[in-house]
Amino acid sequence: MSSVILPTHIMSSAENKVENGSTEEEQRGKKRKMSLSSCGVCGSEEAKYRCPACLTHSCSLLCVKKHKEASGCSGVRNKTAFVTLSQFDEMTLLSDYRFLEDTGRFANGATRDNLVQAPCVTVKSKKLASNARKMNITLRFLPITFTKSRENSTFFLTKEKLFLWHLKLIFPQSSSEFTQRRVSDKQTLKQILTAYIHPTESDPVTRQKLKMYVQARFDHVKVFMKVEGRKANAVRYHELDIEKSLRDNLSYKTLIEYPVLHVVLKDHWKDYPLKGPAEPASACAPSAEENDKVGQEKETTQFSPSPQRSPTTGETNISRTAQEIESPPQKKAKRGDEEQEEGEITDSSDEDDKNIPCDKSCNDAEDPANDTKDEVQ
């Protein structure tokens, strides 16, 4: 039999078909591994996708969105998840290496941030605080990364010795806030509010927003300012005088960046508790009645003679003076220039002085004749 020799191009095309068929079978095998499980959301279609975070199978974009909404899954793989040694492969090692690289890059980028390297206190803030201190105003500043610090436009005129404040007005009954720049501290609060709540002189657009305030009388409106440096559960407010200037109202008060004023109607004044009178610094300090009793006991001990036995007759003689029987002075509680109110945040040094145990001093105050009895014995 004679053999038939096929052309070269026919043989090459056949080999290509065989190779293409093998690659297609491999791809089908890979896809088949995914499609062995059905969609974990709808359950009717074969799975095409797998969530990197929780490995849930899905068939379409719609099922992926439903899965994230129902389970709250972020879809981001947990790079720090525990992997057993038997499952640790090259891909896991590469993932850990890239995670460490990202961490180092993030830490290095933070050191080059201009906001982090900027000084906490600038020359402008020092100048403002110094001039405010001359007017009996305590002015404090936040780091420049804070929004309140960036929007502060307060300025001080050195020649006129005048503050131009950045002022924020909050109208809680109308749920509105207004910011006014370069407000002179010589203006009264009534003049400042006229541009907002006056029936005729205010801006028409602003008047429409603050309709409740425009309809109310001026004597039914009060202005409050929050007391700074207090705990969140003990918020108190300063009541400001509308007839006085802004400088007089801010005197002997603490501000953070700029003043924030709350304009409140009469029906809601009770929601703004005022800063009450100071409370006693020491809980164990004696009251007025106890002080009177202690004083009477001291007088009796001063004039009551102490018995002293005579060496000859054996009788007791009264010869000790009142100065020898004087009881030791009571320890006075340390108190600052201004007594602290409950809820006010103070320095740690003041708290340490107040936390000194005073049981012994209280006991001595209750019974001042103990020392005299010991001397008699």
Side-chain angles (χ1 to χ4, degrees), residues 282-299:
S282 177
C284 62
S287 61
E289 297 179 357
E290 294 176 353
N291 288 331
D292 295 339
K293 293 181 181 179
V294 172
Q296 292 176 3
E297 292 177 357
K298 283 184 178 180
E299 291 177 0

Side-chain angles (χ1 to χ4, degrees), residues 11 35-36 41 109 155 208 246 264 301 309 316 356:
M11 293 180 64
S35 62
L36 286 176
V41 180
F155 190 76
Q208 184 65 24
L246 186 60
V264 186
T301 53
R309 189 173 297 276
T316 56
I356 297 175

Side-chain angles (χ1 to χ4, degrees), residues 241-284:
D241 192 349
I242 297 181
E243 301 296 334
K244 291 184 178 181
S245 64
L246 186 60
R247 178 184 296 184
D248 295 338
N249 280 296
L250 297 181
S251 296
Y252 301 101
K253 295 178 180 63
T254 301
L255 302 178
I256 295 181
E257 292 291 344
Y258 54 82
V260 179
L261 307 183
H262 299 257
V263 185
V264 186
L265 293 177
K266 185 176 181 180
D267 297 337
H268 300 270
W269 290 350
K270 60 181 181 298
D271 299 332
Y272 292 80
L274 302 179
K275 185 178 180 182
E279 296 183 356
S282 177
C284 62

Side-chain angles (χ1 to χ4, degrees), residues 24-38:
E24 289 178 359
E25 288 179 357
E26 290 178 358
Q27 291 178 358
R28 286 198 195 100
K30 291 180 180 179
K31 292 181 180 179
R32 190 62 186 170
K33 290 180 181 179
M34 179 69 70
S35 62
L36 286 176
S37 58
S38 60

